[in-house]
Amino acid sequence: MAGTLRRNDARTQVRAPQRFSGTLKNTIGISPEFASGWIVNENRPLIGCDAFEYNARSVSSLSQQAETLREQLRHHEHSYYVLDAPEISDAEYDALLRKLKALEDAHPELLTPDSPTQRVGGRPREGFVKVKHSGAMLSLDNALNEKELRDFDRRVRDLLKGEEFQYVAELKLDGLSLAIHYNDGKFMQAITRGDGITGEDVTENARTIRSIPLKIDSASVEVRGEVVFARRAFDRLNEERAAAGQPVFANPRNAAAGSLRVLDPSITASRQLDFYAYFRIPELAKHSEAMKDMAGLGFKVNPTWRVCPDVEALFAFCSEWETKRDSLPYEIDGVVAKVDVIEQQQRLGWTAKAPRWAIAYKFPARQEQTVVEDIGVQVGRTGALTPVAFLKPVGVGGVTVSRATLHNEDEIERLGIRIGDTVLVERSGDVIPKVVRVVAEGRERRAFRMPKVCPVCGGEVVRAEGEAATRCINTNCPARLKESILHWSARGVMDIDGLGEALVDQLVDTGLVKNVTDLYGLKLEALVDLERMGKKSAEKLLANIDKSRRAPLPRLINGLGIPFVGERTALILAETFGDLDKIASANEEKLQKADEVGPKVAQSIRRFFDERHNRALVEQLRAEGFAFTYTITRKTGTLTGLTFVLTGTLPNLSRDDAKARIEAAGGKVTGSVSKKTHYVVAGEDAGTKLDKARELGIDVIDDARLLEMIG
Ligand code: IVH
């Protein structure tokens, strides 16, 4: 593995990991037997909590250690952001990163521009510098239907005079294109497409995108590809922006562009942008070879690409992805077909604006016109009243759409929508449908008025100065309560199986639950009286609720639903402060000491804990036995040194539970089966990972056996 080193020193010995305590500077200890470098077990990548040791006298040893850390971080970035198969937890990754940062802070001469610490985003800039592209970054001609794709194919065949050739079909990612230059294997410069001849230098922003490698095993190369914004992250970003009174992005493409073309790179760093490579300069003999080569260099290359021997195969690819496009985490708007052999591409050449050897087959837009019959409001977890357009039901790309989010009053104003208007609605994947624009004003149109009181509890609503969101300020509002209980029970938070929307509605409506802590006092007799609740499922639910008391602090913090504090920030807070009471009592300045916590987040945390009801909630959670402290520990136990892969549905354990138990016993859980895997734990409907395990002769066990091994 790229990130591990083996010391070929006879005195090599394995040392028990030590807890890293205090600051790096005051824990540097020199042990002569380790003076020649890192001791890293080949099978165990160095992780966050291993002892940080170095020979302070030897500068070369220090720079070697920094490089080892950088290598390890690069390896884990690649596993996580490119391969989607993390090998270590976020906490372990963050601990590694902090370790490197501390080393670089203490010894600035060790800092290199390709260091993973440089991804956090440097200082804002005055403006973007215009840069000429190495070669024109032209666009593609479009084929809008089957006939136009056949016309393209005929042109290619004619120009190649009946010679054999094949296509490569790829998804047309809906983002913005970027050219990245590497010199001597080092990330040097990133330029947006601009007008195709000249683009903007967005190097510092692109550096923050984790799927762009900062160092590659190749001399000088230019890689072009698409920067995209995942749909989920897009929805979340827009929700946050709407709640904070900022203008929302119209679509993931605009969000990607808006996030890359900002002067402050730390904004880019805070957005979940991704980069997919699809073009390499210099070219290789075939485009398909370039795709493999770029993947080998560590770029994310969309794995769906396929060699198509003829136009029929191209059609099959297009219709397959037109149907499956919703299953992708990001937006696509068509398929790109390229002649594979570069020499043939060169003979086909270019027109003034596009290559003759490629075409973009565009999927039909998923937009339809319909009438806004009414505008209502929905009350969210933070109390924000979100206007929702109730539409005359219309089929958009095979799905009936009857609602669309309007985000806030400012957005309604921007779109100029009135009830009765005919609007264009657009659906993309599982993104909430949205109104694109007004197509025709209604003959009788009526303006939307934000209600003066909360439509759910009748309580006071407030639109604070400078904010676009109107909020219900009653912390006991049932709508807020329902949303916050659903958030509490969600996956990745308390993970309470069986506590879904229908049940939460009943629990709140019957008054059984007035606060999340009431969940912990629920009785079997009360539950079985509810609709669709048998004794067995009630017992299971109570067991699941009870189990959630063991959730570690990051999940508890996430569960509190503090505005702007999601999973990642919750983890950072838990790791930085190690104690909920310390977070609750920290002032804004202190809170900002935590990575990625800026003034806005710090203010939100402070406001949350200053609120009387929230403090009471925290005390109730303490009384329910929740853990308020957190330490990152790498345990040694019965599974130390063993690597596991989980696949299928395990009958006795949830995935997260199995992972937590393996890690607690010193084992490691990775996402993909390789020769380094010791055991595959398989449950029902296990898929390709099981096949791979059999192919590699890896032991396959069930979760009962796993529990036995853990002891
Ligand atoms: S190839 C000369 N491949 O679509 C060929 N482009 O409409 C360069 N795009 O500007 C482009 N996915 O931003 C290519 N797999 C893909 C693509 C792709 C998305 C974008 C790209 C380009 C635009 C053309």
Side-chain angles (χ1 to χ4, degrees):
M1 100 136 43
T4 58
L5 286 182
R6 200 167 21 157
R7 202 181 67 148
N8 52 3
D9 183 327
R11 289 164 300 170
T12 298
Q13 49 180 287
V14 176
R15 218 174 122 112
Q18 289 174 3
R19 274 286 300 139
F20 177 64
S21 61
T23 65
L24 182 68
K25 280 193 194 123
N26 62 29
T27 55
I28 292 169
I30 311 158
S31 48
E33 70 269 34
F34 293 107
S36 60
W38 287 99
I39 309 290
V40 182
N41 180 336
E42 190 188 22
N43 291 320
R44 190 170 71 83
L46 187 84
I47 58 121
C49 312
D50 286 333
F52 186 78
E53 294 162 31
Y54 66 78
N55 180 353
R57 283 175 301 234
S58 159
V59 174
S60 75
S61 156
L62 281 182
S63 70
Q64 200 184 334
Q65 285 151 23
E67 185 49 26
T68 305
L69 278 168
R70 284 195 290 267
E71 274 299 311
Q72 290 172 333
L73 283 157
R74 274 180 210 127
H75 170 83
H76 292 303
E77 278 181 346
H78 184 251
S79 309
Y80 188 97
Y81 294 101
V82 177
L83 304 179
D84 266 344
E87 294 174 2
I88 56 173
S89 68
D90 288 4
E92 286 169 331
Y93 176 87
D94 290 344
L96 262 184
L97 191 67
R98 275 202 296 272
K99 215 180 256 183
L100 177 61
K101 176 105 183 27
L103 181 55
E104 290 170 345
D105 285 350
H107 300 275
E109 72 281 6
L110 297 179
L111 182 61
T112 59
D114 62 4
S115 172
T117 56
Q118 300 308 294
R119 294 217 194 254
V120 288
R123 249 176 288 131
R125 306 193 308 166
E126 302 281 303
F128 293 115
V129 176
K130 293 250 189 293
V131 189
K132 209 162 177 258
H133 286 295
S134 62
M137 249 181 126
L138 295 188
S139 186
L140 295 170
D141 278 337
N142 291 332
L144 300 179
N145 50 44
E146 178 171 344
K147 180 183 171 296
E148 291 184 4
L149 188 60
R150 287 196 188 280
D151 288 347
F152 161 75
D153 174 61
R154 191 163 321 109
R155 276 198 306 275
V156 172
R157 276 189 287 126
D158 287 351
L159 287 166
L160 291 178
K161 302 193 172 75
E163 198 177 293
E164 288 215 346
F165 72 96
Q166 58 188 17
Y167 294 111
V168 168
E170 291 161 35
L171 302 183
K172 186 170 182 312
L173 306 167
D174 199 7
L176 76 154
S177 42
L178 187 71
I180 310 175
H181 293 259
Y182 289 84
N183 220 337
D184 235 0
K186 290 194 194 88
F187 169 89
M188 297 302 287
Q189 194 176 36
I191 315 168
T192 60
R193 177 167 175 270
D195 61 8
I197 306 297
T198 308
E200 285 172 333
D201 182 329
V202 289
T203 309
E204 293 318 310
N205 296 3
R207 197 193 292 285
T208 69
I209 301 175
R210 300 300 218 280
S211 46
I212 297 180
L214 297 180
K215 191 165 176 259
I216 57 173
D217 277 339
S218 171
S220 295
V221 70
E222 177 181 343
V223 169
R224 293 180 179 179
E226 201 82 351
V227 175
V228 295
F229 209 119
R231 277 198 299 251
R232 282 245 174 123
F234 166 75
D235 269 349
R236 225 176 302 132
L237 176 68
N238 261 359
E239 261 170 42
E240 273 180 27
R241 289 176 70 86
Q246 294 165 319
V248 292
F249 288 111
N251 52 44
R253 182 180 358 99
N254 288 9
S259 304
L260 191 64
R261 295 183 61 258
V262 285
L263 294 173
D264 182 354
S266 68
I267 295 180
T268 317
S270 72
R271 309 269 169 84
Q272 288 172 39
L273 293 174
D274 230 336
F275 175 79
Y276 286 90
Y278 52 63
F279 197 78
R280 180 197 196 281
I281 303 172
E283 286 161 308
L284 303 176
K286 289 178 175 180
H287 176 62
S288 51
E289 272 174 35
M291 295 292 266
K292 288 180 204 156
D293 178 75
M294 290 185 293
L297 289 177
F299 289 91
K300 206 162 182 170
V301 172
N302 201 315
T304 53
W305 69 271
R306 197 186 297 162
V307 171
C308 294
D310 54 27
V311 74
E312 302 310 326
L314 270 185
F315 271 125
F317 186 86
C318 293
S319 46
E320 176 184 340
W321 284 104
E322 198 170 340
T323 321
K324 291 202 308 202
R325 63 193 284 198
D326 283 353
S327 65
L328 296 164
Y330 41 79
E331 274 294 282
I332 58 171
D333 59 347
V335 165
V336 180
K338 301 170 182 170
V339 170
D340 191 21
V341 171
I342 303 299
E343 188 272 326
Q344 288 176 325
Q345 285 189 3
Q346 283 160 352
R347 267 188 286 138
L348 288 161
W350 301 67
T351 66
K353 61 181 235 326
R356 284 196 202 89
W357 45 264
I359 193 101
Y361 174 80
K362 296 279 280 249
F363 295 147
R366 294 192 294 184
Q367 294 182 334
E368 291 296 335
Q369 294 185 8
T370 189
V371 175
V372 177
E373 294 182 326
D374 202 356
I375 297 177
V377 289
Q378 217 167 287
V379 187
R381 182 159 48 88
T382 58
L385 270 59
T386 307
V388 179
F390 294 106
L391 307 166
K392 185 161 178 233
V394 61
V396 186
V399 171
T400 305
V401 172
S402 54
R403 283 161 170 240
T405 177
L406 294 170
H407 297 292
N408 52 43
E409 283 176 295
D410 289 356
E411 180 71 358
I412 295 181
E413 239 3 84
R414 190 185 69 81
L415 291 165
I417 298 181
R418 305 276 181 273
I419 299 160
D421 287 354
T422 299
V423 293
L424 189 67
V425 284
E426 183 179 87
R427 184 178 76 80
S428 43
D430 46 11
V431 172
I432 308 157
K434 63 164 197 290
V435 174
V436 182
R437 63 187 151 86
V438 174
V439 182
E441 293 181 0
R443 233 181 298 146
E444 280 171 39
R445 50 197 316 245
R446 186 160 51 89
F448 163 76
R449 297 251 172 277
M450 189 57 93
K452 296 269 177 285
V453 293
C454 171
V456 176
C457 69
E460 191 186 346
V461 296
V462 172
R463 179 172 173 177
E465 219 179 290
E467 272 217 11
T470 301
R471 292 172 203 279
C472 164
I473 54 168
N474 171 13
T475 41
N476 295 317
C477 170
R480 293 182 63 171
L481 182 57
K482 282 177 187 174
E483 285 287 331
S484 50
I485 293 170
L486 281 170
H487 171 69
W488 183 261
S489 75
R491 284 206 67 175
V493 189
M494 289 297 145
D495 226 341
I496 306 177
D497 231 22
L499 188 56
E501 217 169 311
L503 182 60
V504 170
D505 279 352
Q506 291 192 70
L507 290 172
V508 174
D509 294 345
T510 52
L512 281 171
V513 172
K514 297 194 185 66
N515 168 321
V516 286
T517 52
D518 287 345
L519 292 170
Y520 298 88
L522 283 174
K523 297 274 174 296
L524 187 69
E525 309 80 68
L527 279 181
V528 290
D529 277 350
L530 300 175
E531 272 171 46
R532 291 192 299 271
M533 180 61 81
K535 187 160 176 245
K536 261 230 167 96
S537 32
E539 280 171 350
K540 249 194 194 153
L541 176 69
L542 287 179
N544 290 340
I545 291 176
D546 191 42
K547 198 173 68 187
S548 71
R549 281 197 176 91
R550 297 198 293 271
L553 183 60
R555 286 177 180 240
L556 174 62
I557 298 172
N558 185 10
L560 293 175
I562 306 169
F564 308 117
V565 176
E567 196 173 336
R568 189 173 163 78
T569 311
L571 180 68
I572 293 170
L573 287 168
E575 285 182 3
T576 311
F577 294 93
D579 188 333
L580 186 59
D581 290 322
K582 289 195 182 137
I583 301 169
S585 60
N587 60 22
E588 288 178 31
E589 194 190 335
K590 214 165 180 187
L591 287 166
Q592 286 184 56
K593 294 249 151 58
D595 276 354
E596 294 179 33
V597 174
K600 185 179 79 177
V601 180
Q603 186 190 49
S604 173
I605 299 170
R606 205 45 274 138
R607 267 196 197 157
F608 181 89
F609 289 109
D610 283 343
E611 217 278 329
R612 187 166 52 88
H613 295 94
N614 295 333
R615 280 204 309 273
L617 172 74
V618 167
E619 286 319 309
Q620 285 163 332
L621 290 168
R622 192 197 308 274
E624 288 300 339
F626 278 87
F628 274 29
T629 55
Y630 186 67
T631 36
I632 324 164
T633 43
R634 173 107 182 151
K635 301 239 175 69
T636 38
T638 46
L639 304 185
T640 298
L642 298 178
T643 301
F644 293 76
V645 170
L646 306 172
T647 180
T649 313
L650 306 176
N652 303 307
L653 292 172
S654 74
R655 278 279 183 109
D656 286 353
D657 203 352
K659 185 168 186 279
R661 284 178 193 230
I662 291 170
E663 285 171 352
K668 197 169 89 171
V669 178
T670 65
S672 58
V673 181
S674 74
K675 276 189 235 148
K676 287 189 190 146
T677 311
H678 295 100
Y679 292 95
V680 169
V681 187
E684 245 174 71
D685 295 323
T688 50
K689 289 181 189 170
L690 185 56
D691 301 338
K692 183 87 190 275
R694 293 203 172 115
E695 195 184 305
L696 296 175
I698 290 161
D699 282 344
V700 177
I701 57 171
D702 58 13
D703 59 355
R705 172 80 189 108
L706 172 69
L707 291 172
E708 269 174 42
M709 287 170 70
I710 292 171

